[in-house]
Amino acid sequence: MAIEIKVYKASAGARWFKAGLDVFQTQPFIFMFMYLFIGIFGLIGLIAPVLKIPAALATPFLMAGLYGAALRRQQGQKIAFADILNVFSQKGRRIGLFRVGLYQMGAALLLGMLASVLFADVIELMTQTDLDPQTALQQLAQSFSFGSLALFLIAVSIYLCAFAFAVPLVYFGRHTSIIEVMKASLMAFYHNMAALSVYGLIAGGLLLVCAFLSFIPLLVVMPICYISLFIAFQAMFMPQLHENGQDDHQSGQSVKGQNSDAQHSANEQDNTSSNGRFDA
């Protein structure tokens, strides 16, 4: 069965980010420590290669824990740092997240292989330690290909878009086909390109500012980015996710995840509640 996607105008991207900020502000230090914990897991694979696979497989579980904490804050519940680990003990949902981790590792491996082919000359030059720095720079400039870089960036973009909503679709949507989940995530970016571009510009601008200042502000910016992306997921895929027995006035045009010929026009409801929820 096709996964339904709701379509929004560009202005929705800014509201999603604002809603993520509102949720973050309710318990900022908890979300900061959750992001720091996820970041530490990512570094484990670099420091200890033997733990690279376990760390990669654990990341979807941790992301689901952070999303679950954000949802509980939207519903007015208090959260604790330990909530990020609750997913590991939830039977019936672990296998789906485990499979997401496997697919992500496989896709990352393919990206690595593509990079080794596209930038073979650059990698070879970088491994030569006896070259004069000026000569090395000249050879790097000669061997550099903008076409290869563009192709690699396109592949990375497809990878990021395919897995952007994979974790919440599996965890909250309970979808079992990872291929269909990846297709739906890609189609969400296709149909909501304007809104997600606005979201990406805001996030990218803040990340650029963090790079110039210091990376410490990332402890604030990155959790907001994760939470706002989850709110975007709610709006596009599950606007009823935290309904409490009452129907909202849904907005936006619905399309199927596998229908690339759907219309792109949509009507929106401009309503962000005080608890940070975007009512789609």
Side-chain angles (χ1 to χ4, degrees):
M1 181 179 179
I3 300 175
E4 191 173 278
I5 303 167
K6 298 187 79 65
V7 183
Y8 295 88
K9 292 181 180 178
S11 57
R15 287 196 294 277
W16 293 337
F17 203 91
K18 175 60 168 59
L21 175 61
D22 292 340
V23 173
F24 174 81
Q25 288 176 332
T26 59
Q27 286 188 254
F29 291 105
I30 295 296
F31 287 115
M32 288 168 63
F33 282 119
M34 284 183 174
Y35 165 71
L36 185 61
F37 188 66
I38 294 172
I40 290 173
F41 254 81
L43 291 175
I44 286 177
L46 299 176
I47 299 172
V50 69
L51 298 176
K52 190 171 185 177
I53 292 179
L57 292 176
T59 299
F61 290 82
L62 299 177
M63 290 302 304
L66 188 149
Y67 292 150
L71 176 60
R72 285 190 290 277
R73 280 310 304 150
Q74 287 178 302
Q75 296 171 337
Q77 303 176 29
K78 288 289 184 180
I79 60 173
F81 171 74
D83 292 344
I84 197 172
L85 302 175
N86 288 345
V87 182
F88 290 97
S89 61
Q90 294 178 2
K91 295 181 179 179
R93 299 191 182 187
R94 292 177 296 194
I95 185 63
L97 294 174
F98 179 77
R99 292 174 63 205
V100 171
L102 286 177
Y103 274 74
Q104 280 185 303
M105 283 198 306
L109 181 61
L110 291 176
L111 278 178
M113 294 171 61
L114 178 62
S116 65
V117 173
L118 294 177
F119 308 114
D121 295 338
V122 175
I123 295 172
E124 183 179 355
L125 284 173
M126 293 178 65
T127 56
Q128 296 179 13
T129 58
D130 56 342
L131 279 179
D132 178 71
Q134 187 173 358
T135 303
L137 287 175
Q138 292 176 351
Q139 292 183 1
L140 281 174
Q142 293 173 357
S143 60
F144 183 79
S145 171
F146 283 101
S148 297
L149 179 61
L151 180 59
F152 182 71
L153 290 177
I154 291 173
V156 171
S157 299
I158 294 173
Y159 166 80
L160 294 175
C161 293
F163 288 101
F165 299 116
V167 169
L169 278 170
V170 169
Y171 183 70
F172 296 101
R174 296 180 181 271
H175 297 288
T176 57
S177 173
I178 305 300
I179 297 297
E180 294 303 318
V181 163
M182 292 168 61
K183 288 181 181 178
S185 187
L186 283 169
M187 294 307 296
F189 275 83
Y190 175 72
H191 290 297
N192 288 281
M193 188 178 299
L196 289 170
S197 294
V198 171
Y199 164 83
L201 287 174
I202 296 173
L206 290 173
L207 293 175
L208 188 61
V209 171
C210 291
F212 279 110
L213 298 176
S214 70
F215 285 99
I216 294 178
L218 286 176
L219 292 176
V220 174
V221 173
M222 287 305 299
I224 296 173
C225 290
Y226 284 141
I227 296 169
S228 55
L229 188 65
F230 174 63
I231 291 172
F233 158 79
Q234 288 177 305
M236 286 186 279
F237 290 100
M238 302 185 72
Q240 79 290 354
L241 186 59
H242 45 281
E243 295 294 336
N244 293 316
Q246 296 182 351
D247 293 332
D248 269 351
H249 296 288
Q250 296 185 7
S251 63
Q253 180 180 358
S254 296
V255 297
K256 296 297 183 180
Q258 286 79 11
N259 184 6
S260 59
D261 297 324
Q263 297 291 329
H264 285 241
S265 61
N267 294 322
E268 301 178 275
Q269 177 181 355
D270 301 337
N271 183 14
T272 305
S273 64
S274 60
N275 64 359
R277 171 187 168 189
F278 181 87
D279 293 318

